[in-house]
Amino acid sequence: MQLSDSVALVGSGDARLTNQYDCNVYAIDAPDSTVLVDTGAGLSPSAILDRAESVFGSVTHALLTHAHADHSQGAPALQDRGVEVCACNATADLVSSGTEAELGVDVARSEGIYPEKYSFENFHVDRSFAVDTELDLAGLSVNPVLLRGHAPDHVVYLVELDGEMICFVGDAVYPDGSISLLNVPGSSLTDYRTDIDGLVGRGINALLPGHGLPIMADGQAAIDDAAEALTRMSTPPSKT
């Protein structure tokens, strides 16, 4: 599902593009090849990869927004097909040694968010980086921004494409300005309040979330709404 000249939605459980447990997976048409943002739950990685390559061509890199299974577990299969998986240092640590309790998999499985026999496969990313490091992937400049709260390792990615500022926001903020606070280890309103200002004033046009519909304009307004809500005494609107 092509969203612009340079971005396509190539995996999504919500849209049933791929397995129902997949997060939204995006493909970017970078100058030298195709870059993915997130990798899905690991139950239909070939479908994600094949769809991405049918739209923009060979996939060489994948970025993880955070370690939660529906975003990271497609990575090992993509690595087997030659894709370099990249993540911030905190995510790299969690996917390599995090337990199902630390990652919330046990609770999610018990509530039917994952299948009954689903399990988390630890793996090592190919490249890890500090969050304040600008990345060059396949000729594409990517700016990671720390935005914890949904998860303790969560980052978002800012990319300028076709003259627009695109924010691959993972599960941090949704287009209606809501956040995603979970009752699992590592999910924290304090972290949300600490980090949200990192996205204020960025001139974001498109906001591409890990679930639900993306928006291709007015993304900064959604971020600003979330930031304002985080200054109030009441808990901000939240999606799981």
Side-chain angles (χ1 to χ4, degrees):
M1 184 183 298
Q2 199 155 343
L3 302 176
S4 71
D5 289 344
S6 300
V7 180
L9 180 66
V10 296
S12 174
D14 291 338
R16 294 301 193 269
L17 285 179
T18 52
N19 188 275
Q20 65 177 312
Y21 297 103
D22 286 335
C23 69
N24 288 348
V25 180
Y26 298 96
I28 306 170
D29 186 19
D32 300 333
S33 61
T34 304
V35 176
L36 297 181
V37 179
D38 285 326
T39 64
L43 299 173
S44 59
S46 292
I48 291 170
L49 188 60
D50 292 347
R51 187 180 293 273
E53 293 187 335
S54 73
V55 178
F56 292 137
S58 177
V59 175
T60 58
H61 298 81
L63 286 161
L64 301 181
T65 59
H66 60 300
H68 285 169
D70 55 328
H71 293 256
S72 70
Q73 281 292 275
L78 297 185
Q79 289 174 315
D80 288 344
R81 292 182 58 173
V83 176
E84 180 180 294
V85 175
C86 309
C88 75
N89 294 332
T91 298
D93 289 343
L94 277 171
V95 298
S96 66
S97 60
T99 66
E100 291 196 345
E102 289 175 308
L103 292 162
V105 174
D106 52 352
V107 175
R109 189 171 51 226
S110 71
E111 295 186 5
I113 295 171
Y114 298 134
E116 183 179 349
K117 295 184 179 180
Y118 187 77
S119 61
F120 189 91
E121 175 187 350
N122 291 112
F123 66 96
H124 295 282
V125 303
D126 300 290
R127 177 180 174 185
S128 60
F129 53 84
V131 173
D132 59 356
T133 302
E134 187 170 339
L135 306 175
D136 185 332
L137 299 179
L140 180 73
S141 179
V142 180
N143 183 17
V145 178
L146 186 67
L147 184 43
R148 302 164 300 164
H150 174 75
D153 61 316
H154 199 291
V155 298
V156 307
Y157 297 104
L158 295 178
V159 182
E160 189 169 348
L161 295 166
D162 308 318
E164 302 280 300
M165 183 59 71
I166 313 298
C167 182
F168 298 91
V169 75
D171 290 353
V173 179
Y174 290 95
D176 63 358
S178 63
I179 63 172
S180 182
L181 187 69
L182 304 177
N183 187 25
V184 298
S187 198
S188 164
L189 266 180
T190 298
D191 286 343
Y192 261 118
R193 289 193 298 269
T194 299
D195 293 348
I196 190 66
D197 284 348
L199 285 187
V200 172
R202 294 282 193 153
I204 293 166
N205 304 109
L207 192 73
L208 308 186
H211 301 276
L213 288 174
I215 55 173
M216 302 308 292
D218 302 321
Q220 190 64 56
I223 295 294
D224 293 345
D225 286 347
E228 197 278 329
L230 284 160
T231 67
R232 301 175 195 157
M233 182 176 293
S234 57
T235 303
S238 177
K239 300 183 193 300
T240 56

